[in-house]
Amino acid sequence: AATVDFGPKRTNIPAIEHVGKRAGQWHPLSFGQEQMYILYQNGKVSSYNMPYILRLREVRRDNGVVAVVDPKVVLRALIMTIECQGSLRTSVRVNEASMATEQSVLPVEDSAKCIEFIETAVPDEQAAVALVTDEQNSYEFDLEKGPQLRVHLVRYGNAVSAQDCSHGNQPDEYLLLVNTHHIGTDGWSMTEHRRQFLHAYKVLLASPTASLKNVFPAPLTIDYIDYSIWQRKWLVEGGEASKQSSYWRNELRDVEALDIPLDKKRPVVLSDRGGCVSVRMDKSTIDKLRTVLASHGCSMFMGTITIFQMLLSRWSGSEDIVCGCATANRNYHHELMDLIGQVANVIALRSDLSGKPSYSTMLDRVKSKLLTAWRNQVLCVFYACLSNLLASGMQCRASEHCCLILC
């Protein structure tokens, strides 16, 4: 992708301070967590599960020794990731006195209580895939009681032991489903958790008695609680929330839902049921697009979302298009890169397509809007929308559909 200039680096952002042990204490949620908890309270439970699936396989080495998948080692590696990441040991409650939503982190020694580990054997891969697919979509977490990490190790195949494998039987294969709720993690975090788990698992296979310090010799410098406290301190006490909220309220003023022709009627009650369509572009087309984007200093994301917005404009006949874009939201401090937790956000990209602009003109408009939006990405757009609704006296109904098309 082309190198993108995000403008002058901000120097007024306070450091994230680590304040030692916080186990047993109650602290406010981050803004992203609050959003997830509101959705959780309104019945959107399994809709915000964040699963990933790994395939683990028993391997017959050249010396004839069979490396067997050991569920105990799998569990121990997972517990080590929980010991390192406080967001996976967190429970949530509503304080009855203040009515504020709070979170508390269990002590490291209670990490094993924060995971539900299940083992199942099925006859073949098809049955294993069906099992984990159904569970990842339907399981409902209890954010108040926990546990916050649910792991299902599904074995399929003929062999049941290393001895069976040495006799020529087909080695077993496993599907490992790791599932948690979005309140404690995000897409970036799940990639990071997968990396940390595989690292711990490989170390423990080679050295079964390895301690946590042996597996992760460089501990994190901050906890997720540190991040949530820093976020509120900077946004609320530092006045940044007022600035970013003002930007989003102005940006989203008088937005209307697009009238896009549909092949089916919308449901009476909003549902998260849907499908996925993948589109592949040939290399020649991609190379040409990259050349155009490079001449504008744009990334591939900027180029493709511009195409998408122009398509929506054609379908709807509207010249005012708003798309919601996910952002990792971790470019403020390098300590956030290894942290597992709900840090991600959604920003709104509102584009003006009046005057039948060319693709080149729209690229420049989209780039300018995105760079400004990214500088205001810490405050969730959700709160700006909610503020607009409350200020206008409007009420949301389950049958209404969001004017923000997520991409």
Side-chain angles (χ1 to χ4, degrees):
T3 300
V4 179
D5 180 12
F6 287 88
K9 184 176 179 60
R10 300 185 65 168
T11 58
N12 61 336
I13 301 175
I16 302 177
E17 299 178 359
H18 179 55
V19 194
K21 294 185 178 181
R22 301 182 185 277
Q25 303 176 27
W26 290 93
H27 302 278
L29 302 183
S30 68
F31 286 108
Q33 285 180 310
E34 278 194 345
Q35 174 190 350
M36 287 300 151
Y37 193 70
I38 290 172
L39 294 169
Y40 170 81
Q41 288 179 307
N42 283 274
K44 297 293 183 180
V45 182
S46 59
S47 301
Y48 290 91
N49 287 354
M50 296 290 290
Y52 69 83
I53 299 174
L54 291 175
R55 189 186 301 275
L56 304 179
R57 182 175 297 172
E58 297 176 348
V59 179
R60 185 182 291 106
R61 296 170 178 161
D62 294 338
N63 59 4
V65 176
V66 177
V68 179
V69 175
D70 188 342
K72 293 181 180 179
V73 177
V74 172
L75 176 59
R76 189 168 171 225
L78 287 164
I79 290 176
M80 282 189 171
T81 65
I82 297 174
E83 290 173 339
C84 293
Q85 300 285 350
S87 62
L88 301 177
R89 307 195 309 272
T90 299
S91 59
V92 181
R93 75 173 186 185
V94 176
N95 187 310
E96 295 183 359
S98 64
M99 297 308 294
T101 310
E102 303 171 328
Q103 60 182 323
S104 180
V105 180
L106 285 174
V108 171
E109 51 268 26
D110 290 334
S111 294
K113 299 178 182 179
C114 301
I115 182 171
E116 183 177 4
F117 189 78
I118 304 169
E119 293 181 63
T120 306
V122 295
D124 53 41
E125 182 178 12
Q126 183 177 358
V129 171
L131 180 62
V132 297
T133 300
D134 178 68
E135 179 169 334
Q136 72 177 3
N137 295 328
S138 62
Y139 183 77
E140 297 187 354
F141 285 94
D142 187 329
L143 302 185
E144 287 85 8
K145 297 179 180 179
Q148 305 304 352
L149 196 68
R150 180 179 170 88
V151 178
H152 201 152
L153 184 63
V154 183
R155 175 174 60 84
Y156 61 95
N158 298 317
V160 294
S161 67
Q163 183 178 9
D164 289 336
C165 292
S166 65
H167 291 163
N169 291 334
Q170 182 69 27
D172 280 347
E173 294 190 14
Y174 291 77
L175 287 184
L176 179 70
L177 169 64
V178 179
N179 203 359
T180 187
H181 192 274
H182 205 342
I183 199 170
T185 188
D186 55 22
W188 182 291
S189 297
M190 298 311 287
T191 300
E192 182 61 25
H193 184 267
R194 181 166 57 244
R195 183 189 69 80
Q196 292 181 16
F197 161 70
L198 289 174
H199 169 75
Y201 184 65
K202 291 176 182 177
V203 172
L204 291 173
L205 282 179
S207 179
T209 59
S211 66
L212 180 64
K213 290 183 178 180
N214 297 139
V215 176
F216 296 109
L220 296 176
T221 56
I222 62 170
D223 296 325
Y224 185 81
I225 293 288
D226 297 323
Y227 163 76
S228 62
I229 291 176
W230 163 84
Q231 185 191 55
R232 288 187 174 273
K233 184 177 181 180
W234 178 43
L235 289 178
V236 180
E237 296 178 18
E240 187 67 20
S242 177
K243 299 175 186 177
Q244 294 196 20
S245 180
S246 176
Y247 168 80
W248 288 118
R249 283 198 300 269
N250 290 331
E251 188 67 13
L252 299 173
R253 181 172 286 116
D254 301 324
V255 171
E256 295 183 1
L258 291 182
D259 183 15
I260 300 176
L262 304 173
D263 58 345
K264 297 179 181 179
K265 291 183 178 181
R266 292 191 185 276
V268 176
V269 178
L270 184 63
S271 167
D272 58 3
R273 294 181 60 188
C276 180
V277 177
S278 299
V279 178
R280 285 182 174 271
M281 288 193 291
D282 59 83
K283 185 178 183 302
S284 174
T285 301
I286 293 176
D287 288 342
K288 292 177 182 178
L289 179 58
R290 281 179 174 153
T291 300
V292 173
L293 297 177
S295 67
H296 288 264
C298 292
S299 66
M300 182 61 73
F301 174 73
M302 291 175 176
T304 50
I305 197 172
T306 298
I307 295 171
F308 184 60
Q309 289 199 315
M310 295 180 78
L311 178 63
L312 291 176
S313 178
R314 176 181 295 183
W315 281 347
S316 64
S318 174
E319 297 177 340
D320 184 15
I321 305 295
V322 185
C323 288
C325 313
T327 172
N329 198 22
R330 292 175 184 253
N331 60 329
Y332 290 91
H333 289 290
H334 66 87
E335 297 97 331
L336 296 175
M337 296 303 176
D338 299 330
L339 189 69
I340 291 177
Q342 165 44 12
V343 180
N345 206 346
V346 174
I347 59 173
L349 173 62
R350 187 174 188 177
S351 295
D352 175 15
L353 288 95
S354 61
K356 296 183 179 179
S358 65
Y359 179 66
S360 180
T361 299
M362 278 306 303
L363 263 180
D364 293 334
R365 292 182 185 178
V366 167
K367 177 183 176 180
S368 176
K369 277 293 182 102
L370 271 176
L371 292 179
T372 305
W374 279 329
R375 294 188 187 102
N376 292 274
Q377 66 178 312
V378 177
L379 184 67
C380 187
V381 177
F382 174 84
Y383 285 97
C385 294
L386 184 61
S387 298
N388 279 352
L389 287 173
L390 295 176
S392 63
M394 295 175 62
Q395 293 182 342
C396 291
R397 293 184 295 273
S399 60
E400 292 180 337
H401 294 263
C402 184
C403 61
L404 211 61
I405 296 179
L406 299 181
C407 52

